[in-house]
Amino acid sequence: MRRILLFLFVAVITAFLSSCLTIEEHTTIRRDGSGSQVTTIDMSKMFDNPLMMMAMEEELKKGKGEQEERIDSSFLVYEEFLPANPQWTDEERSLVLRTEGRMVMDLAAGESAMTMSFPFQDLAELEALKSLLASANQPASEEEGGAGGMMSGLAGKNFTTGTLVLKGKKLIRTSTVASSMDNPFEDEELGEEGMEMVKEMFSDAVMVYTMEFPGKVKKVKGFPGHEVVGNQVIQAFDFLELLDKPEIVDLGLSGEIKFKK
């Protein structure tokens, strides 16, 4: 099983609790075609549960006898992938290393989140990165996969495949389920009871796709169930439903969007 975020393993132990997990992929496109794609895994709401709060407080002590008040660290998400992929060119390695991550945990503020961001000069770079990761050799072990492996595991690395094409003031997105997609919560090592507990924990988890444009959205074709908010097109999916019925991605994340610049 691709391990869930490092700082969530206590949550797996207390899996009967609701996590209120939100995962968002936010793609921003600027007027010149450049932009960024930021994936955020936010579990801040789980601190509303006092039992979960106590469990996390114990974990943060890390045997030092006192609790760390705040964890805030940055990292290169896919750095550990480089030794396993010597076939990558210098340009490809540079592209992969452009992906940066940040993990924040602050119990007093009720904050627990991890972000992964990739800035691109054009959408072709975003597609190139996805292609590299889809065919990449994985690190020798899950532990060596570091934050990149954990982040991509929960966020659904290679969950979808397809293209994002910008033609003037129109974005065309096609998405299908990736052939490498598997359900990270279906793990025989957990046993049937364990899998049910983990699923219960993530029963209210939500996957959100947000596409933000340099001007107001004029027309949307496709993307059933979407919501237009100013210059953004937003879609929300039940996370477990996406894992159990990934075919809903085929129509759910495909279509055309016209916007003003």
Side-chain angles (χ1 to χ4, degrees):
M1 174 181 178
R2 291 177 294 184
R3 298 302 175 191
I4 300 175
L5 304 177
L6 181 61
F7 61 89
L8 299 181
F9 85 93
V10 173
V12 175
I13 296 176
T14 55
F16 61 90
L17 300 175
S18 176
S19 67
C20 298
L21 172 72
T22 299
I23 304 172
E24 181 182 16
E25 176 195 278
H26 192 126
T27 304
T28 301
I29 298 175
R30 303 188 184 94
R31 286 182 172 81
D32 63 358
S34 65
S36 64
Q37 188 169 88
V38 180
T39 300
T40 302
I41 299 176
D42 189 347
M43 291 198 70
S44 299
K45 290 183 179 180
M46 77 182 202
F47 289 154
D48 291 343
N49 189 303
L51 294 179
M52 183 64 75
M53 175 70 83
M54 287 189 293
M56 297 308 292
E57 286 176 346
E58 289 299 317
E59 169 58 16
L60 286 178
K61 289 180 180 178
K62 297 181 182 293
K64 297 179 181 179
E66 60 182 34
Q67 177 185 322
E68 292 185 45
E69 294 183 359
R70 180 179 176 86
I71 294 176
D72 190 339
S73 61
S74 299
F75 51 91
L76 294 176
V77 176
Y78 294 111
E79 185 175 26
E80 295 89 347
F81 282 63
L82 298 184
N85 292 276
Q87 76 280 6
W88 285 345
T89 65
D90 290 342
E91 182 177 357
E92 290 171 337
R93 292 165 65 88
S94 177
L95 191 69
V96 171
L97 288 176
R98 199 185 299 171
T99 306
E100 297 182 346
R102 182 187 178 200
M103 182 175 72
V104 176
M105 178 176 286
D106 189 323
L107 297 185
E111 183 180 4
S112 177
M114 182 177 280
T115 59
M116 179 172 65
S117 61
F118 176 74
F120 53 83
Q121 295 302 311
D122 54 50
L123 287 172
E125 288 190 337
L126 180 59
E127 297 305 310
L129 176 66
K130 290 182 178 180
S131 178
L132 282 173
L133 295 177
S135 59
N137 298 319
Q138 299 297 305
S141 68
E142 292 177 344
E143 289 75 18
E144 290 177 8
M150 292 183 291
M151 182 97 180
S152 60
L154 190 56
K157 173 178 174 283
N158 299 334
F159 180 74
T160 63
T161 184
T163 59
L164 281 169
V165 178
L166 188 62
K167 293 185 176 181
K169 301 177 183 179
K170 180 171 68 174
L171 177 75
I172 303 172
R173 179 170 189 165
T174 60
S175 299
T176 57
V177 180
S179 59
S180 58
M181 186 270 171
D182 61 356
N183 190 334
F185 298 130
E186 295 290 348
D187 187 355
E188 293 182 357
E189 294 181 8
L190 290 175
E192 184 175 346
E193 183 176 352
M195 286 189 287
E196 288 303 316
M197 291 177 66
V198 173
K199 287 182 179 180
E200 177 64 24
M201 177 186 173
F202 291 97
S203 62
D204 58 356
V206 179
M207 186 81 181
V208 180
Y209 291 88
T210 300
M211 291 175 281
E212 182 176 349
F213 301 91
K216 186 177 180 179
V217 174
K218 297 174 60 179
K219 184 178 180 180
V220 179
K221 179 181 179 181
F223 303 107
H226 72 273
E227 179 182 5
V228 176
V229 181
N231 63 338
Q232 298 183 358
V233 175
I234 304 172
Q235 288 177 281
F237 298 91
D238 179 280
F239 184 54
L240 290 182
E241 184 179 11
L242 279 180
L243 295 177
D244 292 335
K245 301 177 181 178
E247 61 273 9
I248 67 178
V249 168
D250 293 4
L251 293 177
L253 286 176
S254 296
E256 300 180 0
I257 301 171
K258 292 183 179 181
F259 58 92
K260 295 181 179 180
K261 281 192 174 179

